[in-house]
Amino acid sequence: MATRLLWSSKAASYLRISVFHRGLSSVVKDLKYADTHEWVKVEGNSATVGITNHAQDHLGDVVYVELPEVGAAVKQGDSFGAVESVKATSDINSPVSGKVVEVNEELNNSPALVNSSPYEKGWIIKVDISDVGELKNLKDSDEYTKLCEEEDATH
Amino acid sequence: MRSSRSLQVWKLGTFSYLEALKLQGKLVSDRKAHKIPETLLSLQHPNTYTLCKRRTDHNLLIPTSELQKLVAELHYTQRGGDIAYQGPHQAILYPIISHREIGLGARNYVEKLELTMIELASLYGFKACVGQKGETGVWVADRKIGAIGVRISSGITSHGLAFNIDPDLSYFKHIVPCGIVDKEVTALRRETVTALPSDEVIHEQLLSCFARLFGFSSLVWKENNSVLSDDGKVKNMTAYASMLSYNEKAE
């Protein structure tokens, strides 16, 4: 399935036609993904964490983000905060273990950044990673794309 | 193409908000660990006010000390949805389910909860609908008849919906329900000309709408007179009062 999408995208760019592939266009390479739909960007021992486009799309308009305290410990797979959308508060789980060194205060004023820019301006926390080895438990962009397709297919 | 989906229903009668919170916490963990199937709690609360984590106390129109005199409990909760009143003669459903496993994103899950209440209204011959943008819950014209507040933890839902059968509406005067100003609250009693059956029958009708909308083809009942003690252990568990499994026509 992924191969066919890749082929059609290459063909599309060759023919210069636009192709709408929600899966590929919404997943950013070089990030790692948790199967609870959080992404992490790793630079050395430093990580930036947010929720994916798939997650924000399914949640709807975000009206509030509950952020952890700077200095709080996080553990891979455990909840560290929450995102509140239309009458649903959804836990966010950390893809990495370590210590929170920065939180995105902008989200207090503009929680909708999570919807409009989930991979950039809508980042949620930055973490000093305590165990880089745990990253192998996460998915790469191809595996994550496949997960999203499988989940969407059950609709 | 969907295989038969089963829902385990706990009928709890009148159940304290705090006890329900503890029970849901346990059930969410169990569901996450695949120890229990899709589960739903059907209950009513004694007079209770709940505030969500955003702590919007300005939506409380009387001081907390006055609340105590009304014999109501006040709780702060993880639930989304701002301030709410819950009490007798309000039908409450708390589904503890994996919304992803049944093929729904968070938003669609909430929309279906709203539809559940809209369907019940149509059973009683009147039209209810969703709110305007930013106002969730279920409305009859500009009067609110049903409320929604949901928590999702690693894809497992808790809390849910509350539908006004015939609650004491004066309790709503002390709050701005769900932070939505200038809107009235109403109830099934007021909106229908049909004579109302017992609360229990209405609960089952609501449950039936839920099951149909969410694709549950069989319901397993669990009548429960148990109490959660402080250490989280369930004591005085009665045996299943009746194991009733009826199959509705698959969609």
Side-chain angles (χ1 to χ4, degrees), chain A residues 78-106:
Chain A
D78 282 359
S79 160
F80 68 83
V83 168
E84 185 178 328
S85 66
V86 179
K87 291 292 174 152
T89 297
S90 188
D91 283 359
I92 335 172
N93 298 326
S94 181
V96 293
S97 304
K99 197 172 82 164
V100 177
V101 294
E102 201 184 332
V103 301
N104 188 353
E105 305 271 3
E106 260 311 296

PDB file of all heavy atoms in Angstrom, chain A residues 78-106:
ATOM      1  N   ASP A  78       3.551   7.280  29.415  1.00  0.00           N
ATOM      2  CA  ASP A  78       2.695   7.810  30.478  1.00  0.00           C
ATOM      3  C   ASP A  78       2.169   9.183  30.126  1.00  0.00           C
ATOM      4  O   ASP A  78       2.836   9.958  29.446  1.00  0.00           O
ATOM      5  CB  ASP A  78       3.460   7.890  31.800  1.00  0.00           C
ATOM      6  CG  ASP A  78       3.584   6.527  32.464  1.00  0.00           C
ATOM      7  OD1 ASP A  78       3.065   5.539  31.899  1.00  0.00           O
ATOM      8  OD2 ASP A  78       4.205   6.454  33.537  1.00  0.00           O
ATOM      9  N   SER A  79       1.009   9.505  30.685  1.00  0.00           N
ATOM     10  CA  SER A  79       0.388  10.792  30.417  1.00  0.00           C
ATOM     11  C   SER A  79       1.170  11.922  31.093  1.00  0.00           C
ATOM     12  O   SER A  79       1.635  11.784  32.219  1.00  0.00           O
ATOM     13  CB  SER A  79      -1.047  10.744  30.949  1.00  0.00           C
ATOM     14  OG  SER A  79      -1.528  12.031  31.142  1.00  0.00           O
ATOM     15  N   PHE A  80       1.338  13.050  30.393  1.00  0.00           N
ATOM     16  CA  PHE A  80       2.014  14.201  31.016  1.00  0.00           C
ATOM     17  C   PHE A  80       1.165  15.461  30.966  1.00  0.00           C
ATOM     18  O   PHE A  80       1.525  16.488  31.505  1.00  0.00           O
ATOM     19  CB  PHE A  80       3.368  14.475  30.340  1.00  0.00           C
ATOM     20  CG  PHE A  80       3.262  14.978  28.916  1.00  0.00           C
ATOM     21  CD1 PHE A  80       3.039  16.325  28.647  1.00  0.00           C
ATOM     22  CD2 PHE A  80       3.390  14.114  27.844  1.00  0.00           C
ATOM     23  CE1 PHE A  80       2.943  16.792  27.336  1.00  0.00           C
ATOM     24  CE2 PHE A  80       3.304  14.566  26.536  1.00  0.00           C
ATOM     25  CZ  PHE A  80       3.072  15.903  26.283  1.00  0.00           C
ATOM     26  N   GLY A  81       0.048  15.391  30.311  1.00  0.00           N
ATOM     27  CA  GLY A  81      -0.789  16.581  30.179  1.00  0.00           C
ATOM     28  C   GLY A  81      -2.044  16.200  29.435  1.00  0.00           C
ATOM     29  O   GLY A  81      -2.345  15.016  29.256  1.00  0.00           O
ATOM     30  N   ALA A  82      -2.784  17.221  29.000  1.00  0.00           N
ATOM     31  CA  ALA A  82      -4.031  16.910  28.294  1.00  0.00           C
ATOM     32  C   ALA A  82      -4.367  17.991  27.292  1.00  0.00           C
ATOM     33  O   ALA A  82      -3.940  19.145  27.418  1.00  0.00           O
ATOM     34  CB  ALA A  82      -5.167  16.749  29.291  1.00  0.00           C
ATOM     35  N   VAL A  83      -5.145  17.608  26.304  1.00  0.00           N
ATOM     36  CA  VAL A  83      -5.608  18.538  25.291  1.00  0.00           C
ATOM     37  C   VAL A  83      -7.125  18.522  25.338  1.00  0.00           C
ATOM     38  O   VAL A  83      -7.731  17.458  25.277  1.00  0.00           O
ATOM     39  CB  VAL A  83      -5.118  18.084  23.897  1.00  0.00           C
ATOM     40  CG1 VAL A  83      -5.841  18.861  22.814  1.00  0.00           C
ATOM     41  CG2 VAL A  83      -3.632  18.300  23.779  1.00  0.00           C
ATOM     42  N   GLU A  84      -7.735  19.695  25.500  1.00  0.00           N
ATOM     43  CA  GLU A  84      -9.187  19.735  25.581  1.00  0.00           C
ATOM     44  C   GLU A  84      -9.765  20.301  24.302  1.00  0.00           C
ATOM     45  O   GLU A  84      -9.411  21.387  23.868  1.00  0.00           O
ATOM     46  CB  GLU A  84      -9.635  20.588  26.765  1.00  0.00           C
ATOM     47  CG  GLU A  84     -11.134  20.537  26.949  1.00  0.00           C
ATOM     48  CD  GLU A  84     -11.604  21.331  28.155  1.00  0.00           C
ATOM     49  OE1 GLU A  84     -10.838  21.396  29.127  1.00  0.00           O
ATOM     50  OE2 GLU A  84     -12.701  21.888  28.103  1.00  0.00           O
ATOM     51  N   SER A  85     -10.643  19.540  23.690  1.00  0.00           N
ATOM     52  CA  SER A  85     -11.328  20.036  22.505  1.00  0.00           C
ATOM     53  C   SER A  85     -12.817  20.055  22.830  1.00  0.00           C
ATOM     54  O   SER A  85     -13.204  20.016  23.979  1.00  0.00           O
ATOM     55  CB  SER A  85     -11.038  19.126  21.325  1.00  0.00           C
ATOM     56  OG  SER A  85     -11.610  17.856  21.544  1.00  0.00           O
ATOM     57  N   VAL A  86     -13.618  20.106  21.803  1.00  0.00           N
ATOM     58  CA  VAL A  86     -15.076  20.104  21.946  1.00  0.00           C
ATOM     59  C   VAL A  86     -15.569  19.068  22.968  1.00  0.00           C
ATOM     60  O   VAL A  86     -15.812  17.938  22.635  1.00  0.00           O
ATOM     61  CB  VAL A  86     -15.669  19.785  20.556  1.00  0.00           C
ATOM     62  CG1 VAL A  86     -17.167  19.740  20.604  1.00  0.00           C
ATOM     63  CG2 VAL A  86     -15.195  20.807  19.547  1.00  0.00           C
ATOM     64  N   LYS A  87     -15.702  19.462  24.206  1.00  0.00           N
ATOM     65  CA  LYS A  87     -16.246  18.582  25.241  1.00  0.00           C
ATOM     66  C   LYS A  87     -15.488  17.280  25.457  1.00  0.00           C
ATOM     67  O   LYS A  87     -16.034  16.356  26.039  1.00  0.00           O
ATOM     68  CB  LYS A  87     -17.713  18.255  24.968  1.00  0.00           C
ATOM     69  CG  LYS A  87     -18.625  19.428  25.128  1.00  0.00           C
ATOM     70  CD  LYS A  87     -18.727  19.888  26.559  1.00  0.00           C
ATOM     71  CE  LYS A  87     -19.533  21.168  26.629  1.00  0.00           C
ATOM     72  NZ  LYS A  87     -20.247  21.388  27.861  1.00  0.00           N
ATOM     73  N   ALA A  88     -14.289  17.152  24.995  1.00  0.00           N
ATOM     74  CA  ALA A  88     -13.503  15.944  25.284  1.00  0.00           C
ATOM     75  C   ALA A  88     -12.119  16.376  25.723  1.00  0.00           C
ATOM     76  O   ALA A  88     -11.459  17.165  25.051  1.00  0.00           O
ATOM     77  CB  ALA A  88     -13.415  15.039  24.057  1.00  0.00           C
ATOM     78  N   THR A  89     -11.695  15.883  26.858  1.00  0.00           N
ATOM     79  CA  THR A  89     -10.334  16.136  27.313  1.00  0.00           C
ATOM     80  C   THR A  89      -9.538  14.872  27.065  1.00  0.00           C
ATOM     81  O   THR A  89      -9.889  13.804  27.563  1.00  0.00           O
ATOM     82  CB  THR A  89     -10.323  16.469  28.818  1.00  0.00           C
ATOM     83  OG1 THR A  89     -11.062  17.663  29.008  1.00  0.00           O
ATOM     84  CG2 THR A  89      -8.913  16.684  29.299  1.00  0.00           C
ATOM     85  N   SER A  90      -8.474  14.979  26.282  1.00  0.00           N
ATOM     86  CA  SER A  90      -7.707  13.808  25.890  1.00  0.00           C
ATOM     87  C   SER A  90      -6.309  13.873  26.476  1.00  0.00           C
ATOM     88  O   SER A  90      -5.615  14.877  26.334  1.00  0.00           O
ATOM     89  CB  SER A  90      -7.657  13.764  24.364  1.00  0.00           C
ATOM     90  OG  SER A  90      -7.096  12.573  23.939  1.00  0.00           O
ATOM     91  N   ASP A  91      -5.900  12.817  27.166  1.00  0.00           N
ATOM     92  CA  ASP A  91      -4.546  12.760  27.719  1.00  0.00           C
ATOM     93  C   ASP A  91      -3.522  12.763  26.603  1.00  0.00           C
ATOM     94  O   ASP A  91      -3.744  12.187  25.540  1.00  0.00           O
ATOM     95  CB  ASP A  91      -4.348  11.445  28.490  1.00  0.00           C
ATOM     96  CG  ASP A  91      -5.017  11.496  29.848  1.00  0.00           C
ATOM     97  OD1 ASP A  91      -5.611  12.537  30.191  1.00  0.00           O
ATOM     98  OD2 ASP A  91      -4.947  10.484  30.552  1.00  0.00           O
ATOM     99  N   ILE A  92      -2.348  13.398  26.872  1.00  0.00           N
ATOM    100  CA  ILE A  92      -1.222  13.275  25.953  1.00  0.00           C
ATOM    101  C   ILE A  92      -0.184  12.429  26.652  1.00  0.00           C
ATOM    102  O   ILE A  92       0.137  12.663  27.819  1.00  0.00           O
ATOM    103  CB  ILE A  92      -0.556  14.628  25.624  1.00  0.00           C
ATOM    104  CG1 ILE A  92      -1.512  15.807  25.803  1.00  0.00           C
ATOM    105  CG2 ILE A  92       0.005  14.606  24.213  1.00  0.00           C
ATOM    106  CD1 ILE A  92      -0.825  17.149  25.680  1.00  0.00           C
ATOM    107  N   ASN A  93       0.350  11.447  25.946  1.00  0.00           N
ATOM    108  CA  ASN A  93       1.370  10.565  26.508  1.00  0.00           C
ATOM    109  C   ASN A  93       2.748  10.952  25.985  1.00  0.00           C
ATOM    110  O   ASN A  93       2.892  11.348  24.826  1.00  0.00           O
ATOM    111  CB  ASN A  93       1.083   9.109  26.132  1.00  0.00           C
ATOM    112  CG  ASN A  93      -0.248   8.655  26.705  1.00  0.00           C
ATOM    113  OD1 ASN A  93      -0.652   9.073  27.777  1.00  0.00           O
ATOM    114  ND2 ASN A  93      -0.936   7.807  25.963  1.00  0.00           N
ATOM    115  N   SER A  94       3.762  10.832  26.820  1.00  0.00           N
ATOM    116  CA  SER A  94       5.101  11.201  26.379  1.00  0.00           C
ATOM    117  C   SER A  94       5.751  10.061  25.595  1.00  0.00           C
ATOM    118  O   SER A  94       5.743   8.919  26.042  1.00  0.00           O
ATOM    119  CB  SER A  94       5.976  11.539  27.582  1.00  0.00           C
ATOM    120  OG  SER A  94       7.261  11.913  27.130  1.00  0.00           O
ATOM    121  N   PRO A  95       6.321  10.357  24.426  1.00  0.00           N
ATOM    122  CA  PRO A  95       7.012   9.308  23.658  1.00  0.00           C
ATOM    123  C   PRO A  95       8.399   8.994  24.219  1.00  0.00           C
ATOM    124  O   PRO A  95       9.012   8.014  23.803  1.00  0.00           O
ATOM    125  CB  PRO A  95       7.144   9.916  22.254  1.00  0.00           C
ATOM    126  CG  PRO A  95       6.442  11.219  22.275  1.00  0.00           C
ATOM    127  CD  PRO A  95       6.257  11.624  23.688  1.00  0.00           C
ATOM    128  N   VAL A  96       8.867   9.851  25.145  1.00  0.00           N
ATOM    129  CA  VAL A  96      10.210   9.643  25.694  1.00  0.00           C
ATOM    130  C   VAL A  96      10.176   9.798  27.213  1.00  0.00           C
ATOM    131  O   VAL A  96       9.253  10.401  27.768  1.00  0.00           O
ATOM    132  CB  VAL A  96      11.228  10.672  25.126  1.00  0.00           C
ATOM    133  CG1 VAL A  96      11.459  10.461  23.641  1.00  0.00           C
ATOM    134  CG2 VAL A  96      10.764  12.099  25.386  1.00  0.00           C
ATOM    135  N   SER A  97      11.239   9.266  27.844  1.00  0.00           N
ATOM    136  CA  SER A  97      11.381   9.479  29.290  1.00  0.00           C
ATOM    137  C   SER A  97      12.421  10.562  29.520  1.00  0.00           C
ATOM    138  O   SER A  97      13.379  10.682  28.758  1.00  0.00           O
ATOM    139  CB  SER A  97      11.851   8.193  29.970  1.00  0.00           C
ATOM    140  OG  SER A  97      10.973   7.144  29.683  1.00  0.00           O
ATOM    141  N   GLY A  98      12.241  11.315  30.591  1.00  0.00           N
ATOM    142  CA  GLY A  98      13.238  12.345  30.896  1.00  0.00           C
ATOM    143  C   GLY A  98      12.658  13.450  31.740  1.00  0.00           C
ATOM    144  O   GLY A  98      11.733  13.232  32.528  1.00  0.00           O
ATOM    145  N   LYS A  99      13.188  14.656  31.558  1.00  0.00           N
ATOM    146  CA  LYS A  99      12.764  15.795  32.359  1.00  0.00           C
ATOM    147  C   LYS A  99      12.284  16.917  31.443  1.00  0.00           C
ATOM    148  O   LYS A  99      12.927  17.238  30.450  1.00  0.00           O
ATOM    149  CB  LYS A  99      13.947  16.288  33.211  1.00  0.00           C
ATOM    150  CG  LYS A  99      13.514  17.192  34.365  1.00  0.00           C
ATOM    151  CD  LYS A  99      14.662  17.509  35.310  1.00  0.00           C
ATOM    152  CE  LYS A  99      15.527  18.646  34.779  1.00  0.00           C
ATOM    153  NZ  LYS A  99      16.393  19.227  35.796  1.00  0.00           N
ATOM    154  N   VAL A 100      11.162  17.515  31.799  1.00  0.00           N
ATOM    155  CA  VAL A 100      10.622  18.620  31.008  1.00  0.00           C
ATOM    156  C   VAL A 100      11.480  19.855  31.233  1.00  0.00           C
ATOM    157  O   VAL A 100      11.657  20.305  32.373  1.00  0.00           O
ATOM    158  CB  VAL A 100       9.165  18.929  31.425  1.00  0.00           C
ATOM    159  CG1 VAL A 100       8.635  20.132  30.661  1.00  0.00           C
ATOM    160  CG2 VAL A 100       8.273  17.720  31.209  1.00  0.00           C
ATOM    161  N   VAL A 101      12.050  20.406  30.146  1.00  0.00           N
ATOM    162  CA  VAL A 101      12.897  21.597  30.302  1.00  0.00           C
ATOM    163  C   VAL A 101      12.207  22.855  29.793  1.00  0.00           C
ATOM    164  O   VAL A 101      12.604  23.965  30.113  1.00  0.00           O
ATOM    165  CB  VAL A 101      14.268  21.423  29.605  1.00  0.00           C
ATOM    166  CG1 VAL A 101      15.065  20.339  30.291  1.00  0.00           C
ATOM    167  CG2 VAL A 101      14.107  21.132  28.129  1.00  0.00           C
ATOM    168  N   GLU A 102      11.168  22.675  28.992  1.00  0.00           N
ATOM    169  CA  GLU A 102      10.455  23.842  28.490  1.00  0.00           C
ATOM    170  C   GLU A 102       9.044  23.426  28.080  1.00  0.00           C
ATOM    171  O   GLU A 102       8.834  22.300  27.619  1.00  0.00           O
ATOM    172  CB  GLU A 102      11.196  24.402  27.271  1.00  0.00           C
ATOM    173  CG  GLU A 102      10.884  25.862  26.965  1.00  0.00           C
ATOM    174  CD  GLU A 102      11.561  26.348  25.690  1.00  0.00           C
ATOM    175  OE1 GLU A 102      12.638  25.801  25.335  1.00  0.00           O
ATOM    176  OE2 GLU A 102      11.007  27.256  25.040  1.00  0.00           O
ATOM    177  N   VAL A 103       8.081  24.329  28.306  1.00  0.00           N
ATOM    178  CA  VAL A 103       6.726  24.074  27.814  1.00  0.00           C
ATOM    179  C   VAL A 103       6.319  25.229  26.909  1.00  0.00           C
ATOM    180  O   VAL A 103       6.824  26.351  27.067  1.00  0.00           O
ATOM    181  CB  VAL A 103       5.695  23.919  28.967  1.00  0.00           C
ATOM    182  CG1 VAL A 103       6.079  22.774  29.890  1.00  0.00           C
ATOM    183  CG2 VAL A 103       5.520  25.199  29.741  1.00  0.00           C
ATOM    184  N   ASN A 104       5.451  24.976  25.987  1.00  0.00           N
ATOM    185  CA  ASN A 104       5.046  26.000  25.028  1.00  0.00           C
ATOM    186  C   ASN A 104       3.966  26.899  25.626  1.00  0.00           C
ATOM    187  O   ASN A 104       2.775  26.639  25.508  1.00  0.00           O
ATOM    188  CB  ASN A 104       4.532  25.337  23.739  1.00  0.00           C
ATOM    189  CG  ASN A 104       4.290  26.356  22.637  1.00  0.00           C
ATOM    190  OD1 ASN A 104       4.380  27.564  22.854  1.00  0.00           O
ATOM    191  ND2 ASN A 104       3.986  25.863  21.446  1.00  0.00           N
ATOM    192  N   GLU A 105       4.415  27.992  26.274  1.00  0.00           N
ATOM    193  CA  GLU A 105       3.483  28.903  26.949  1.00  0.00           C
ATOM    194  C   GLU A 105       2.495  29.549  25.973  1.00  0.00           C
ATOM    195  O   GLU A 105       1.399  29.942  26.358  1.00  0.00           O
ATOM    196  CB  GLU A 105       4.274  30.026  27.651  1.00  0.00           C
ATOM    197  CG  GLU A 105       5.340  29.522  28.605  1.00  0.00           C
ATOM    198  CD  GLU A 105       4.823  29.316  30.015  1.00  0.00           C
ATOM    199  OE1 GLU A 105       3.604  29.506  30.246  1.00  0.00           O
ATOM    200  OE2 GLU A 105       5.619  28.945  30.894  1.00  0.00           O
ATOM    201  N   GLU A 106       2.898  29.647  24.692  1.00  0.00           N
ATOM    202  CA  GLU A 106       2.010  30.228  23.675  1.00  0.00           C
ATOM    203  C   GLU A 106       0.652  29.528  23.643  1.00  0.00           C
ATOM    204  O   GLU A 106      -0.371  30.137  23.325  1.00  0.00           O
ATOM    205  CB  GLU A 106       2.640  30.080  22.278  1.00  0.00           C
ATOM    206  CG  GLU A 106       3.331  31.304  21.748  1.00  0.00           C
ATOM    207  CD  GLU A 106       2.459  32.546  21.876  1.00  0.00           C
ATOM    208  OE1 GLU A 106       1.377  32.603  21.239  1.00  0.00           O
ATOM    209  OE2 GLU A 106       2.853  33.437  22.637  1.00  0.00           O
TER     210      GLU A 106
END
